[in-house]
Amino acid sequence: DVVLTQTPVSLLISLGGQASISCRSSQSLVHSNGNTYLHWYLQKPGQSPQLLIYQVSNRFSGIPDRFSGSGSGTDFTLKISRVEPEDLGVYYCLQRTHNPYTFGAGTKLELK
Amino acid sequence: EVKLEESGGGLVQPGMSVKLSCTTSGFTFSDYWMEWVRQAPGKGLEWVAEIRNKANNYATYYGKSVKGRFTISRDDSKSIVYLQMNSIRSEDTGIYYCTRGDYWGQGVMVTVSS
């Protein structure tokens, strides 16, 4: 199975600051059709996960441009600029290129 | 408005079975692939199963920890996706989410205990 390694495990960020989360895959996430099915989710406390970024760099509907995704192959990054209180929670990467799909272990974003 | 609502959870004895349902609305259910994801108490997300649509022959896929014990199925006429959980173990305890990938339900709790 594909292993996704997320770093760091936790992040202490000041309001208005910038956060960067890495997600590294044990194998290339480029599908045979040429697409890369690496997505980012945020799970706020007590809530269901919500989709932020799909296929590496596409923001889902209603997601502010403070959130950006980048990367290719095996290395991916989620950046959050101008951190706001509603950004707090646990961020997960998920790969849907290879079955079974797998999640990263999560990165907890907290306020400094 | 896209809606997904899970049901069927509760307290289950080890070794027994339970069937979860996810009732959906607000979209053409038959077009979509559907998944189940779970979360043990205080832990991260674990991908459980996927069922594809008719165009993809209703193919099913499972996570390693549930393969052979859980079965995902769907009823396109009712817009419902199911998760049949057999030979339940204590480590199956957690919140089970139904998801379309972009939209998620609120989850249903399954507690495995004697």
Side-chain angles (χ1 to χ4, degrees):
Chain A
D1 296 1
V2 173
V3 176
L4 297 182
T5 302
Q6 265 186 257
T7 55
V9 172
S10 64
L11 269 175
L12 275 176
I13 303 293
S14 301
L15 282 178
Q18 178 167 301
S20 182
I21 300 170
S22 170
C23 178
R24 289 188 170 173
S25 174
S26 59
Q27 57 184 277
S28 174
L29 296 184
V30 180
H31 194 275
S32 56
N33 64 13
N35 292 326
T36 299
Y37 298 103
L38 186 283
H39 318 291
W40 290 95
Y41 292 86
L42 165 61
Q43 187 175 32
K44 298 180 182 180
Q47 295 187 18
S48 303
Q50 61 179 102
L51 178 63
L52 299 173
I53 303 285
Y54 64 95
Q55 291 184 45
V56 182
S57 59
N58 300 283
R59 275 187 301 277
F60 185 55
S61 174
I63 301 303
D65 60 7
R66 301 185 294 101
F67 293 87
S68 64
S70 62
S72 63
T74 61
D75 287 351
F76 304 91
T77 302
L78 175 71
K79 289 187 177 176
I80 312 156
S81 60
R82 306 183 302 281
V83 167
E84 298 185 4
E86 59 261 33
D87 300 338
L88 305 184
V90 182
Y91 290 79
Y92 296 93
C93 53
L94 165 68
Q95 68 83 19
R96 286 197 176 96
T97 296
H98 303 287
N99 252 300
Y101 304 151
T102 45
F103 283 95
T107 296
K108 189 172 186 178
L109 179 62
E110 297 174 293
L111 280 180
K112 191 182 291 184
Chain B
E1 181 189 4
V2 174
K3 289 185 178 179
L4 301 92
E5 184 175 358
E6 303 89 344
S7 61
L11 181 62
V12 187
Q13 290 187 334
M16 301 300 284
S17 299
V18 67
K19 189 172 186 177
L20 306 182
S21 301
C22 173
T23 303
T24 74
S25 62
F27 64 101
T28 305
F29 178 80
S30 57
D31 287 347
Y32 285 84
W33 304 1
M34 298 297 296
E35 301 172 17
W36 287 93
V37 171
R38 70 183 181 183
Q39 187 168 36
K43 302 296 185 182
L45 300 173
E46 180 186 6
W47 186 83
V48 173
E50 174 189 60
I51 185 164
R52 298 187 176 182
N53 57 9
K54 183 177 180 180
N56 288 274
N57 299 314
Y58 298 119
T60 58
Y61 300 91
Y62 299 92
K64 190 175 293 184
S65 60
V66 307
K67 196 171 185 179
R69 300 188 300 122
F70 290 11
T71 302
I72 188 171
S73 61
R74 62 191 296 159
D75 185 334
D76 287 351
S77 69
K78 295 180 180 178
S79 299
I80 298 176
V81 59
Y82 302 99
L83 186 68
Q84 176 70 46
M85 305 166 61
N86 297 333
S87 303
I88 283 191
R89 306 166 180 167
S90 58
E91 55 264 37
D92 295 322
T93 292
I95 299 173
Y96 285 73
Y97 297 101
C98 163
T99 176
R100 197 182 79 166
D102 47 1
Y103 291 92
W104 294 60
Q106 287 304 302
V108 62
M109 185 70 197
V110 174
T111 302
V112 183
S113 175
S114 53

